[in-house]
Amino acid sequence: MATQSDWTPRSWRDYPVTQSPHWPDLDHLHAVEAELAKKPPLVFAGEARRLQTQLAQASAGKAFLLQAGDCAESFHEASADAIRDKLKVILQMAVALTYAAGVPVIKVGRIAGQFAKPRSDDFEERQGIRLEAFRGHLVNSEEFSAEARRPDPDRLLAAYHQSVSTLNLLRAFTTGGFAALSRVHAWNQEFVANSLEGKRYEVIADEIERALAFMRACGIDLHDDQSLQGVDFFTSHEALILPYEQALTRQDSLTGDWYDCSAHLLWIGDRTRQLDGAHVAFLRGVANPLGLKVGPSMNVDELKALVEVLNPANTPGRLTLISRMGTERIAEKLPSLVQALRDEGRTELWTCDPMHGNTFKAVGGQKTRDFEDILSETAQFFAVHQELNTWPGGLHVELTGDDVTECLGGGSAWNEDDLDLNYTSICDPRLNATQSLDMAFHVAEFLRDFRRD
Ligand code: TRP
Ligand code: MN
């Protein structure tokens, strides 16, 4: 493994690359990489450092990370309305968590770059025809035809441009007044407002407005206070397609450190976390805050080795561990991992992804998840940390602002017969806006009940 000093943005190429598409035309790929390398960065080093400072607060038990967004963003679903509605749900969840639990919430989207998917099989076969698996719109398209499934390097450029426009809109929304706390009622979409969760949200929003009015009556006009005018909103995605990530990696003129400027935070998936593999070799050298998915096959020795490589100085905020065990396995698998790192004085932040270990096929064949399983895994995550006296530092969920019917139960009480009503995900099933809000209220309660000794 390259040491930090001989790391370069391309040194990952000396290691085995898992989950790599079968690019049919490498010259075309290289031309696109050269073009991307000349583009302006999507995010800036100083912003990534700001996120890392906030994550360090969370790792000290003083903040909570909310990481949320699509499983896979789509080239066909990037309207301003869709982005705005997703942001509304995330802001609502953040309000519920901040207000009900009294803990600052760090807001990170799976957005503006979450276009690539790891697959369990490289190929998919239907009726004797064998094609490249769908790997997300960064690589190919989901239709089952030779044309759609052929990996196309031009998609790297298309993904960059869609990320630019998504991020531009997010920056406008989060700093331009839309996210100001005085607009807390405006984020409750009509179909949400009519639900039980929506009404519960209205109560909190009323209380916040009343608190602000009270302070104003006392002579303190908090409406002018900068911190209430907007939010810090950060982007993240799985760093899967390394030619794309390398092409957007830039050296920071201030510190000389390398940053992957495709997003503020990049994570390594459970399928690409090999210690001697290309993904670890690449990400260890960039100074962004990193995420690492931790699935049920992870053992204590592997985890210790990975945190040592990805966070050699044990820097708070550098590495976020995203547990995705499944509700059946978390109680068996998670405690020994948390305990091992705790006993070594590690500073990594533990967060819970209660989605990916709980996917199953419904009777109609659709991929789905049951809200009860999602909630149960989250509850167990908090219980493990309560038991070990460590901080349950965050929640990682797949959601959308739309009224979809992809997950069962929760605020919207969908069952298996309803899944076809509005199933629009191109990959995994997402919580809809009401289910997301329901989840936030439950997690706020878990946080409020969490005892620190
Ligand atoms: N800036 C503060 C924060 O991010 C307060 C705030 C403003 C806020 N707008 C918000 C909190 C929207 C949650 C949602 O916490
Ligand atoms: Mn997913």
Side-chain angles (χ1 to χ4, degrees):
M1 181 73 43
T3 60
Q4 214 70 32
S5 57
D6 56 22
W7 182 95
T8 73
R10 55 176 304 118
S11 46
W12 61 270
R13 293 175 191 262
D14 297 335
Y15 300 85
V17 191
T18 41
Q19 296 287 336
S20 178
H22 304 86
W23 301 105
D25 181 351
L26 285 178
D27 288 341
H28 187 182
L29 176 65
H30 296 151
V32 166
E33 288 176 83
E35 199 172 333
L36 267 180
K38 286 185 273 178
K39 299 277 187 203
L42 282 156
V43 306
F44 303 97
E47 297 171 339
R49 281 194 287 272
R50 186 174 167 90
L51 172 58
Q52 182 153 321
T53 304
Q54 296 186 13
L55 291 169
Q57 287 293 308
S59 96
K62 294 183 186 134
F64 187 78
L65 170 63
L66 175 62
Q67 192 175 6
D70 267 307
C71 176
E73 288 176 272
S74 163
F75 279 2
H76 314 301
E77 230 184 280
S79 71
D81 289 0
I83 296 165
R84 181 201 58 204
D85 292 346
K86 210 171 296 167
L87 182 64
K88 280 182 178 173
V89 186
I90 296 175
L91 291 176
Q92 285 189 290
M93 292 179 81
V95 163
L97 286 164
T98 314
Y99 189 77
V103 179
V105 173
I106 305 162
K107 302 145 196 87
V108 177
R110 292 174 58 113
I111 200 165
Q114 175 54 22
F115 290 108
K117 301 310 300 171
R119 303 310 306 250
S120 41
D121 294 310
D122 273 7
F123 296 95
E124 183 179 343
E125 198 171 314
R126 291 189 202 171
Q127 280 134 22
I129 301 170
R130 188 163 165 274
L131 299 174
E132 177 102 10
F134 171 50
R135 296 181 183 276
H137 285 171
L138 189 64
V139 175
N140 56 9
S141 193
E142 65 271 29
E143 301 83 21
F144 193 77
S145 73
E147 175 63 19
R149 291 294 176 88
R150 184 177 306 118
D152 178 1
D154 284 339
R155 288 177 166 272
L156 270 53
L157 286 165
Y160 170 81
H161 287 295
Q162 184 167 321
S163 300
V164 169
S165 56
T166 302
L167 195 51
N168 180 53
L169 200 63
L170 286 170
R171 289 188 193 278
F173 278 142
T174 53
T175 60
F178 179 84
L181 211 49
S182 55
R183 293 183 43 95
V184 62
H185 279 291
W187 309 323
N188 210 6
Q189 299 185 71
E190 207 173 289
F191 76 90
V192 183
N194 293 326
S195 69
L196 223 63
E197 289 68 31
K199 295 195 172 103
R200 192 168 170 193
Y201 177 82
E202 285 293 317
V203 173
I204 292 185
D206 284 341
E207 285 175 15
I208 290 174
E209 278 201 328
R210 210 171 315 127
L212 290 174
F214 172 71
M215 296 307 284
R216 191 164 53 241
C218 295
I220 304 167
D221 195 350
L222 289 169
H223 279 103
D224 292 336
D225 194 286
Q226 206 45 41
S227 63
L228 299 190
Q229 293 304 315
V231 296
D232 280 341
F233 190 85
F234 302 98
T235 61
S236 70
H237 62 258
E238 177 174 356
L240 189 67
I241 304 297
L242 296 176
Y244 178 81
E245 304 302 336
Q246 182 196 322
L248 289 169
T249 297
R250 307 279 188 272
Q251 194 163 22
D252 176 33
S253 53
L254 213 62
T255 60
D257 290 335
W258 291 94
Y259 283 84
D260 181 346
C261 297
S262 70
H264 299 107
L265 180 148
L266 288 312
W267 77 83
I268 305 180
D270 204 36
R271 290 196 179 91
T272 51
R273 58 168 172 76
Q274 301 78 13
L275 198 55
D276 53 0
H279 293 82
V280 170
F282 174 72
L283 284 165
R284 69 199 296 266
V286 298
N288 306 61
L290 302 179
L292 174 67
K293 288 283 186 110
V294 178
S297 68
M298 180 81 87
N299 64 45
V300 166
D301 290 339
E302 270 178 312
L303 182 60
K304 279 188 186 170
L306 279 165
V307 301
E308 196 54 55
V309 168
L310 295 170
N311 188 14
N314 198 15
T315 308
R318 159 69 170 173
L319 184 57
T320 295
L321 303 172
I322 310 162
S323 162
R324 35 91 71 235
M325 300 295 182
T327 187
E328 300 292 337
R329 280 178 289 188
I330 182 168
E332 173 204 344
K333 299 284 180 184
L334 186 61
S336 58
L337 299 172
V338 174
Q339 186 168 8
L341 296 195
R342 181 200 68 182
D343 291 350
E344 298 209 331
R346 300 291 318 186
T347 59
E348 279 77 22
L349 177 67
W350 278 104
T351 68
C352 177
D353 165 1
M355 311 294 289
H356 285 92
N358 295 311
T359 317
F360 67 94
K361 269 215 165 91
V363 281
Q366 311 92 334
K367 265 207 247 180
T368 191
R369 293 161 172 156
D370 193 322
F371 190 85
E372 289 309 313
D373 293 337
I374 294 169
L375 190 58
S376 155
E377 177 163 356
T378 311
Q380 293 178 73
F381 174 83
F382 274 83
V384 167
H385 286 281
Q386 185 68 77
E387 178 70 28
L388 294 169
N389 196 25
T390 45
W391 177 238
L395 178 72
H396 182 122
V397 283
E398 293 184 339
L399 57 71
T400 163
D402 301 335
D403 199 4
V404 299
T405 55
E406 297 171 7
C407 290
L408 309 170
S412 356
W414 299 114
N415 60 49
E416 294 204 22
D417 299 330
D418 302 319
L419 289 175
D420 283 334
L421 291 176
N422 191 21
Y423 196 111
T424 60
S425 176
I426 56 167
C427 197
D428 289 341
R430 303 159 297 179
L431 298 174
N432 63 29
T434 11
Q435 289 167 330
S436 301
L437 202 48
D438 197 355
M439 192 65 198
F441 285 128
H442 278 103
V443 172
E445 273 170 30
F446 296 156
L447 271 173
R448 213 172 31 205
D449 294 343
F450 192 82
R451 297 177 318 279
R452 310 170 192 241
D453 326 311

